Amino acid sequence: MIKLKADSGPSVTLTEFPNAQPIVDPDDHVVGSATWLRKEYDVYLVRISLDRPANNWQIQITNDDSTPHAFQIISLGETRIRNANGAPGSNSLYCGHFPCACTIHEGTPTMACPHCNHYGRPG
């Protein structure tokens, strides 16, 4: 279960892509929306679209599965994915095009990635 909160507004449980949930501030103004998507290798992508600035964002991840999981939060910006067991690939580069979870992104602004067909630098 993934929850998101902006400033001291209410905590919102996110729903699976493409159903984005509105995120509101303490004055009940919509400051953005968010959704999540599960990809292979148990990679969860959370997409947050901002409509207004908020000073303090909080994310809460609760494992409601019977199998234990360890979560690592990474953000875009040429972030390298590192997992203890090597999956989906130590030192792999994440694509950054939601909901694509290509972890071997080799695209450039002028050449599409041969693995996911997206243009642009990783992350």
Side-chain angles (χ1 to χ4, degrees):
M1 178 172 45
I2 302 170
K3 292 184 176 184
L4 195 62
K5 182 177 180 177
D7 293 328
S8 60
S11 182
V12 177
T13 301
L14 304 186
T15 53
E16 193 169 359
F17 180 79
N19 301 315
Q21 296 296 314
I23 310 299
V24 297
D25 66 11
D27 298 319
D28 209 31
H29 297 119
V30 174
V31 294
S33 61
T35 185
W36 64 270
L37 180 70
R38 182 178 179 175
K39 301 295 272 189
E40 60 276 348
Y41 303 111
D42 287 332
V43 172
Y44 290 81
L45 304 176
V46 177
R47 180 181 189 184
I48 304 169
S49 300
L50 301 178
D51 296 335
R52 295 180 184 198
N55 293 324
N56 183 21
W57 286 89
Q58 298 175 37
I59 188 166
Q60 176 185 353
I61 301 171
T62 304
N63 181 15
D64 56 3
D65 190 9
S66 60
T67 304
H69 296 280
F71 291 92
Q72 176 183 13
I73 294 179
I74 55 175
S75 63
L76 299 181
E78 298 188 31
T79 302
R80 295 188 177 274
I81 297 174
R82 293 184 176 89
N83 290 330
N85 63 2
S90 296
N91 298 321
S92 294
L93 292 176
Y94 169 65
C95 171
H97 292 270
F98 193 88
C100 182
C102 176
T103 56
I104 49 177
H105 188 73
E106 297 172 349
T108 68
T110 58
M111 183 182 74
C113 173
H115 310 287
C116 67
N117 206 34
H118 287 125
Y119 289 85
R121 287 177 285 149

